[in-house]
Amino acid sequence: MAISFASSSSSPFSTLSLSRKPLPFSCSLPKSPIKTKKFNARIIAFAYKAAGLKSKQKIQKINEEVSPHRAVSAVRLLRIEQGGAFADLLSEKGRGAAENEMAYVERTLGFRTRDLEDRDLRLVTDIVGGAVRWRRLLDHLILSLCHEERTFREMEPLLLQILRIGFFEIVKLAMPPYAVVDENVRLAKVALRPGAGNMVNGILRKLVLLKETNSLPLPKIEGDARAQARALAVIHSHPVWMVRRWTNFLGQEEAIKLMNWNNGDPRFCLRVNTSRGYTRTDLVEKLEMLKVPHEPSPCMDDFVRVQTGLQTVIQAGLLREGVCSVQDESAGLVVSVVDPQPGETIVDCCAAPGGKTLYMASRLRGQGMVVAIDLNKGRLRILKETSKLHNLDGVITAIHSDLRLYSEKTNLKFDKVLLDAPCSGLGVLSKRADLRWNRSLEDLEQLMDLQDELLHAASRLVKPGGILVYSTCSIDPEENEERIVTFLRRHPEFAIDPVDRYVPPDFTTKEGFYRSNPVKHSIDGSFAARLVRSLNQENPATKK
């Protein structure tokens, strides 16, 4: 037992930070960092006082009974839901990242567990990513097994995360059920209170029985289109609006295939950095030494696919040393649509974090220039640092600006302009586990207005006879083809330049656009249109 938190009293941190009940005193949240630090210190002091501890008393023991990967997963799920964390642990910080996670556990739950081992890190990534993806289904099952709906609706956030972990481990990971029950019951008792452990025990044992008898309470796909979409949204754990939209665009069968892809293990790809003199053969040899399963990309010469072992690649320093970059083939194919040639001047209009910028710069072979424009100063700084690592800083110029303002003020015209527009990200849901819950239909409508504005601004930077490429990581026609139709109606000086000369035929549409399909191509979903500006036709609107 670590401290008295492990007995019948709950952690003061779980009581203050995680309970939905108001604090037992009134306070206002300070905005300045110094005041915030003092405010947090007062909160911690109050918590210790409530638990009968002195404010400087430190936790003496590590709780050996609680599963470390489950404790970290529960806290990380809390942080994701509160908007402060990502769903994976891929990091170049290695053991430092694991130590940070343990620090979060201690601050949130009030005790420490043993340190995370490599296996624990993989489990945290799998469980957190899976619990986020399958949240709608997991919550449906939890609600079904609660005595009353009110029990579920008023459940403490930490208790809900522990149940989600247990349900995911039993339903989707097929872990030994009674070990899962025992471990999660212990976590609930230590992190919250014995009564919480009893609730976890009762609900998880019901689930085990239903799983063993193949009688999970799943909705039936029946009724009208709306009712079927609601059922599919639960079974495949997606927002209802996405299910209805994809069913309308793709048909129900293809929509289900797409959701299955989004719920599968994410697949990653590495691009070798030829600007540093490395070849794909060099990268393959290093992956073989690390025993990382891999296969060459069938559509991009500089890319290698890795199904598992990306953490091993990161920890081995291959990214830090500039040997390769993590970049999906779909992004590489967008660069192929741009077709950078030595001596050209190119603008990347929404450049950060810079993957396409770096790839375009490497294809210039030291001749020409890529201007990287972005609103985010911090991400631009990272791009500049990475360009030095890749030996590309001589051909990349970073500009901190809003594209719309920049295009109004500058008289410069460029050979090629890439607008990789802000979008819904509906093509990358397999990698972004939390994104499906952070998007709404209203977001989509607002993004389309922004995309039109940015396309108009980007068009001002294209010289006569130059190329404008519009791309997204979305699979939604309204963000893709329909934006181009709208743009061309307003900008007759541009015309579609078919992409069939730049990407494999399997990625070209009948309209001459590039499109990747996650289900068909086993890569992220993305889109690109290549537009050429007339040599002599001028649009008065671009002068305004």
Side-chain angles (χ1 to χ4, degrees), residues 13 48 59 101-112:
F13 294 92
Y48 276 106
I59 298 168
E101 293 301 319
M102 300 313 299
Y104 277 118
V105 168
E106 181 173 359
R107 289 199 297 270
T108 306
L109 304 184
F111 61 85
R112 290 187 70 91

Side-chain angles (χ1 to χ4, degrees), residues 249-250 254-255 257-259 261-262 267 305 328 330 333 426-428 474-475 506-509 514-527:
F249 285 141
L250 307 171
E254 289 301 313
K257 289 179 182 179
L258 178 58
M259 289 187 284
W261 167 267
N262 293 339
R267 303 178 186 183
R305 295 179 176 181
D328 195 78
S330 62
L333 286 163
L426 295 181
V428 296
S474 173
I475 55 173
D506 201 35
F507 293 94
T508 62
T509 71
Y514 154 76
R515 186 197 296 140
S516 60
N517 182 313
V519 175
K520 180 180 179 182
H521 301 120
S522 298
I523 63 177
D524 288 344
S526 62
F527 169 87

Side-chain angles (χ1 to χ4, degrees), residues 258-297:
L258 178 58
M259 289 187 284
N260 286 337
W261 167 267
N262 293 339
N263 288 331
D265 294 331
R267 303 178 186 183
F268 295 94
C269 203
L270 302 173
R271 175 178 63 82
V272 65
N273 287 330
T274 55
S275 57
R276 290 288 303 271
Y278 293 105
T279 65
R280 185 159 74 173
T281 300
D282 297 329
L283 177 57
V284 166
E285 288 177 356
K286 292 180 182 295
L287 293 176
E288 288 175 350
M289 289 178 60
L290 294 171
K291 298 182 179 179
V292 173
H294 62 276
E295 61 175 344
S297 165

